[in-house]
Amino acid sequence: MLLSRSVDIIARPDVLVVGAGCAGTVAALAAARAGADTLVVERGGFAGGYITGVVGASLDGFVDLRSGLPIVGGLAFDLARAAAKTDAKGDLASTRFRFNAEVGQSQSNLDRATIHFDIERFKLEADRLMQAAGARLLYHSVIADAICEGDRVTGVVVANKAGLSVVQPKAIVDASGDADVAAFAGAPYEQDLDAQQPMSLHFRVAGFEATPEVRSQCGQVLEQARADGRLRLYGGPWMAPLSPGEYYFNATRFAGDGVNPDDLSAAEIQGREDARLMFDLFKERIPAFKDAYFVTTGPVVGVRETRRIVGDQTLSIDDVRGSNAYDDAVCLGGWWLDRHPVGSSGYHEHVITRPYDISYGTLVPQGLSNVWVAGRCHSADSAALASSRVTLTCMGMGQAAGTAAAKSVRENLGSRELDIPSLQDELVAAGAIVGARAEQVRAVGDAMTSDQMPSAAASH
């Protein structure tokens, strides 16, 4: 069927940011604060992506796992100050944090500060910060197609309650998580359908206190349910606090393709079934859940991996393991190698990483000159993405991509024509941890002895 119709042009911004998740929110802030007329298009009714839509309050990727010092700064600090709960005193950049708020993982390095997001506060403060910067927010809208002239995307088709319309931006940050704009524009991408990490629907439970012992009991209950044939797959379980007596669970697991509408729907449906079964079993078999009650499942299923663009550079597993240096580094990654398996349940291996460079080239799709990506769809091999896909690392990429997009409009240059040292200078001036600042942070962790390091066993 050929559909032919006339559509209205609704905006001609300097920078269009597609997706207001962790990467997109920060990209919009960066572009707007750099003076670009910025439009944000987001499928949901609020910003935050994994943090708010999936319900994941931990600041994964925020710190060097060894020292606890932040490796992502700049606009991430602004969001943390506005929307995070922390017992940190003073300057965030010089504070040593536990690497996660999760009940088992937070038992490591108990002398360090804690920090996690207030999910409802994040929604509010993200709106406030983006609007204060001058960005226009268009929620409940998805990208349906891209219009190209040569190597430039000259229009993006938007679908929402008003029907179809077109935005004509000068530059685009694709923070969709799935590289939607890049894929619609014909840019090359990779996707390992048989090996990509499974999806998870988080859920919230209140009226109990979680401890490592309770966590262990939950794991035993889920393993028995799997042995009895009542659960096919599950992860962890991992649980982290939202407020006193309330925790979110990362435990459901569904192997499928997050850009296949049928698989995405099935993941939501099965996730709700599994979440309720898990809670019912906890309530029935674990004394700590005697007065517990089920609050809600997350608004959307969490997708860990789909399309990964083929960029001018590709972050490899060797880059992560070797902490390889790049002259065009624009942010740091540093989360565990945390690859959720497709065909097994329970806990999995977490391998500690030394903070590594994420190259500007991993944000630039081959074949396009006015599009940047940020987040888990950047150019990385599947094994490396097990580390680089997480929330605060995505924020670091978002700041780099948003700054670059605004710079390209201001200087009338394509993505490959930008002066990278001057881009890095802009990022440092905005508080990003790259260049000499990154080396200073890494040096602290490098000087630590093995007995001072957090144990990977704390993640299990």
Side-chain angles (χ1 to χ4, degrees), residues 62-76:
F62 183 42
V63 303
D64 183 336
L65 293 168
R66 305 167 303 170
S67 70
L69 288 174
I71 59 172
V72 179
L75 296 175

Side-chain angles (χ1 to χ4, degrees), residues 94-410:
S94 59
T95 301
R96 296 192 183 214
F97 292 92
R98 300 183 205 176
F99 56 84
N100 202 324
E102 201 276 331
V103 167
Q105 296 172 355
S106 65
Q107 301 308 300
S108 183
N109 301 105
L110 296 177
D111 58 325
R112 297 179 183 176
T114 60
I115 187 167
H116 66 276
F117 280 116
D118 178 324
I119 290 174
E120 291 303 317
R121 190 78 188 179
F122 192 100
K123 295 177 186 177
L124 177 65
E125 296 296 346
D127 286 346
R128 287 175 171 174
L129 287 168
M130 286 189 284
Q131 289 180 312
R136 175 189 170 196
L137 310 181
L138 190 62
Y139 288 136
H140 303 291
S141 301
V142 297
I143 300 306
D145 207 348
I147 302 165
C148 298
E149 293 181 10
D151 65 356
R152 292 182 60 82
V153 175
T154 57
V156 171
V157 180
V158 176
N160 55 27
K161 295 297 287 185
L164 297 178
S165 57
V166 171
V167 175
Q168 291 186 326
K170 296 174 183 175
I172 300 166
V173 176
D174 183 347
S176 63
D178 302 309
D180 288 339
V181 175
F184 286 141
Y189 64 85
E190 296 180 340
Q191 188 177 6
D192 299 331
L193 292 175
D194 295 330
Q196 65 187 3
Q197 297 181 67
M199 297 175 269
S200 294
L201 187 73
H202 289 189
F203 59 97
R204 296 164 61 177
V205 176
F208 81 109
E209 289 300 328
T211 65
E213 181 182 9
V214 168
R215 181 185 190 255
S216 176
Q217 292 169 347
C218 289
Q220 293 168 17
V221 166
L222 296 187
E223 177 53 28
Q224 186 60 54
R226 189 201 62 79
D228 293 342
R230 301 182 69 179
L231 277 177
R232 184 179 173 209
L233 288 174
Y234 71 89
W238 298 274
M239 57 189 79
L242 292 171
S243 58
E246 182 180 359
Y247 298 82
Y248 72 87
F249 281 73
N250 173 1
T252 74
R253 180 171 282 175
F254 184 92
D257 180 3
V259 292
N260 178 309
D262 288 329
D263 281 6
L264 200 56
S265 299
E268 299 266 11
I269 293 166
Q270 189 62 52
R272 284 188 284 272
E273 289 283 357
D274 289 350
R276 176 57 68 168
L277 172 62
M278 289 176 181
F279 172 74
D280 288 344
L281 291 172
F282 297 158
K283 183 91 170 170
E284 173 188 325
R285 301 180 184 180
I286 301 174
F289 286 82
K290 175 178 176 292
D291 298 318
Y293 56 94
F294 193 97
V295 179
T296 186
T297 53
V300 296
V301 70
V303 181
R304 294 183 174 91
E305 178 182 356
T306 55
R307 304 183 189 111
R308 295 169 283 107
I309 66 154
V310 178
D312 289 355
Q313 292 282 351
T314 298
L315 180 72
S316 71
I317 185 62
D318 290 336
D319 291 330
V320 175
R321 287 176 173 153
S323 187
N324 293 339
Y326 281 91
D327 290 340
D328 66 342
V330 288
C331 65
L332 293 178
W335 187 239
W336 308 92
L337 280 169
D338 176 16
R339 187 178 182 89
H340 289 244
V342 175
S344 61
S345 293
Y347 297 104
H348 57 270
E349 182 183 27
H350 286 62
V351 178
I352 198 168
T353 64
R354 179 179 185 264
Y356 52 88
D357 286 350
I358 293 181
S359 161
Y360 173 78
T362 72
L363 310 183
V364 180
Q366 290 185 8
L368 300 175
S369 65
N370 69 330
V371 177
W372 292 258
V373 301
R376 62 176 171 80
C377 55
H378 82 127
S379 183
D381 67 34
S382 184
L385 194 74
S387 172
S388 67
R389 63 183 171 81
V390 294
T391 51
L392 271 290
T393 309
C394 290
M395 288 186 184
M397 287 189 258
Q399 182 158 355
T403 303
K407 183 177 177 65
S408 78
V409 173
R410 186 171 65 245

